[in-house]
Amino acid sequence: MATVRRTALWLLCSFLGHMSAVILRTTDSAVWANEFDSIELTCLIESISTNNPRIEWKKIKNGVPSYVYFQNKISGDLEHRARLREPANLLILNVSRSDTAQYRCEVAAIDDQKPFDEILISLAVRVRPVVPRCTVPISVTVGSSAELRCLENEGFPLSQYQWFHNNEEMPEDHKSSPKFLNSSYTMNTDTGTLKFRVVKKRDAGQYHCQAKNEAGYAQCNPQMMEVYDLDVMGIFLKVLGGVAAVVAMTAGMCHVCKKGYLSCEKQSGHSYKAPRQDDRMDYINADEGHFRHKSSFVI
Ligand SMILES: *[C@@H]1O[C@H](CO)[C@@H](O)[C@H](O)[C@H]1NC(C)=O
Ligand SMILES: *[C@@H]1O[C@H](CO)[C@@H](O)[C@H](O)[C@H]1NC(C)=O
């Protein structure tokens, strides 16, 4: 009986031995983490017969592999930021944007019939946006166009942009809100530009913008955009100023003439009027010649 049982056990063992294989599994093969957080890449061993299998992790960035865990040590740029956790998980502390890559867990189990398995995990590190640069025109004339810009370059995934007018969120489609119904703006939430086709009085006010992604948001300080009517008063004042200047100059000239620095009367009497008449004569002669020439040509 004992031999039969032993034989059965041996058969079972050898059967299992034949089938023995290392098989890995992960709970998530596409992992997101926020910058400065910790993340654990899971490499679970579903089946194995070998004690002390060889475990390695590689980082693959732009197609180039490098060691992360090799000969029971963390190496490379993760050296002081990562550790291995049972069974073969890789725990990364304080992830940085440069950790965005693919990671491969490889387990070699020499006593198993199928002695090797690997799984690939992609890690993407989300980066919070920084304060965007906002460009708001200081003053605009009613009826003209205007463009406001907002941009930041750190956020990953790329930031989406949202504009605020007097701290009120502006809808992407101005027609969707009664408050902005009469405005003429178009907003591009991908590029951060806010364009007014025709600026109206009501568009005046404080503008600020917010850059946002899955990792967080940041916003610039509000900036004032003034909207003026066509500047009639300004034009009037300029004209008035011009007239005043002419008057002042004329007065100054007369003053100079009176004092006798220049012989103003003489100049206007002779050398000013006389050549004018000559000029007129020349014109008439020239015209006549032209006319005659033309006429003869027609005849
Ligand atoms: C995390 O890493 C950043 C650099 O990527 C460093 O400036 C910061 O001090 C680190 N934080 C901790 C808690 O180690
Ligand atoms: C929009 O314009 C219309 C007609 O010009 C006016 O009746 C309405 O009150 C305006 N709405 C707002 C919110 O200014």
Side-chain angles (χ1 to χ4, degrees):
M1 249 340 247
T3 24
V4 171
R5 209 179 285 161
R6 204 171 292 145
T7 311
L9 197 63
W10 180 84
L11 276 171
L12 187 65
C13 282
S14 74
F15 176 73
L16 285 176
H18 269 288
M19 295 307 288
S20 79
V22 53
I23 296 167
L24 304 179
R25 182 174 67 85
T26 184
T27 55
D28 200 348
S29 61
V31 184
W32 283 90
N34 288 353
E35 197 172 36
F36 311 126
D37 283 356
S38 303
I39 186 75
E40 188 160 350
L41 308 181
T42 58
C43 182
L44 306 173
I45 301 174
E46 289 250 283
S47 120
I48 198 161
S49 300
T50 309
N51 294 321
N52 296 318
R54 196 188 74 213
I55 298 166
E56 284 176 6
W57 276 91
K58 288 185 185 118
K59 173 180 178 175
I60 301 135
K61 186 136 190 167
N62 304 321
V64 182
S66 62
Y67 278 111
V68 168
Y69 184 76
F70 178 63
Q71 292 182 341
N72 303 320
K73 277 202 301 281
I74 300 284
S75 60
D77 53 1
L78 286 179
E79 199 168 347
H80 302 292
R81 283 197 296 126
R83 58 173 183 264
L84 204 75
R85 289 235 286 222
E86 287 286 313
N89 294 355
L90 183 70
L91 173 67
I92 305 176
L93 307 165
N94 192 16
V95 294
S96 81
R97 59 192 74 184
S98 64
D99 296 338
T100 293
Q102 290 195 304
Y103 292 82
R104 194 165 63 211
C105 174
E106 303 174 357
V107 174
I110 48 164
D111 295 339
D112 283 78
Q113 216 62 30
K114 178 186 168 287
F116 184 80
D117 199 15
E118 61 181 34
I119 45 168
L120 199 61
I121 300 171
S122 74
L123 170 65
V125 178
R126 286 187 282 241
V127 180
R128 177 194 284 272
V130 293
V131 173
R133 267 182 293 108
C134 297
T135 318
V136 177
I138 292 165
S139 81
V140 190
T141 311
V142 167
S144 65
S145 63
E147 186 172 315
L148 285 69
R149 282 191 294 269
C150 177
L151 189 69
E152 70 83 37
N153 288 315
E154 298 288 313
F156 182 81
L158 291 180
S159 289
Q160 291 283 302
Y161 299 93
Q162 183 58 57
W163 279 95
F164 294 79
H165 177 241
N166 294 332
N167 284 321
E168 188 161 335
E169 186 172 330
M170 301 170 74
E172 194 175 345
D173 176 14
H174 68 86
K175 291 195 198 80
S176 70
S177 147
K179 184 159 186 254
F180 296 101
L181 189 64
N182 287 353
S183 192
S184 68
Y185 71 78
T186 51
M187 188 192 297
N188 187 326
T189 55
D190 293 329
T191 62
T193 53
L194 176 68
K195 280 185 190 163
F196 290 89
R197 199 168 39 81
V198 180
V199 172
K200 305 219 168 93
K201 264 291 207 216
R202 292 178 60 100
D203 295 325
Q206 301 267 11
Y207 284 89
H208 78 268
C209 160
Q210 188 180 76
K212 187 177 178 186
N213 69 10
E214 288 88 339
Y217 67 89
Q219 60 189 41
C220 62
N221 285 326
Q223 294 170 38
M224 189 71 189
M225 182 172 92
E226 313 248 29
V227 177
Y228 292 103
D229 286 319
L230 186 63
D231 199 359
V232 177
M233 196 61 187
I235 292 167
F236 175 70
L237 285 175
K238 266 181 206 158
V239 169
L240 202 67
V243 169
V246 168
V247 168
M249 259 167 67
T250 312
M253 292 259 286
C254 286
H255 187 66
V256 167
C257 287
K258 268 184 193 160
K259 284 220 167 176
Y261 292 126
L262 288 168
S263 52
C264 299
E265 274 179 32
K266 246 190 176 178
Q267 244 178 345
S268 59
H270 288 275
S271 58
Y272 193 63
K273 265 186 182 169
R276 228 191 187 181
Q277 245 161 12
D278 288 347
D279 277 351
R280 206 172 276 168
M281 290 291 283
D282 282 342
Y283 269 111
I284 290 161
N285 288 344
D287 263 1
E288 271 177 8
H290 192 60
F291 182 69
R292 270 187 211 127
H293 183 72
K294 255 189 177 170
S295 309
S296 64
F297 188 76
V298 170
I299 289 160

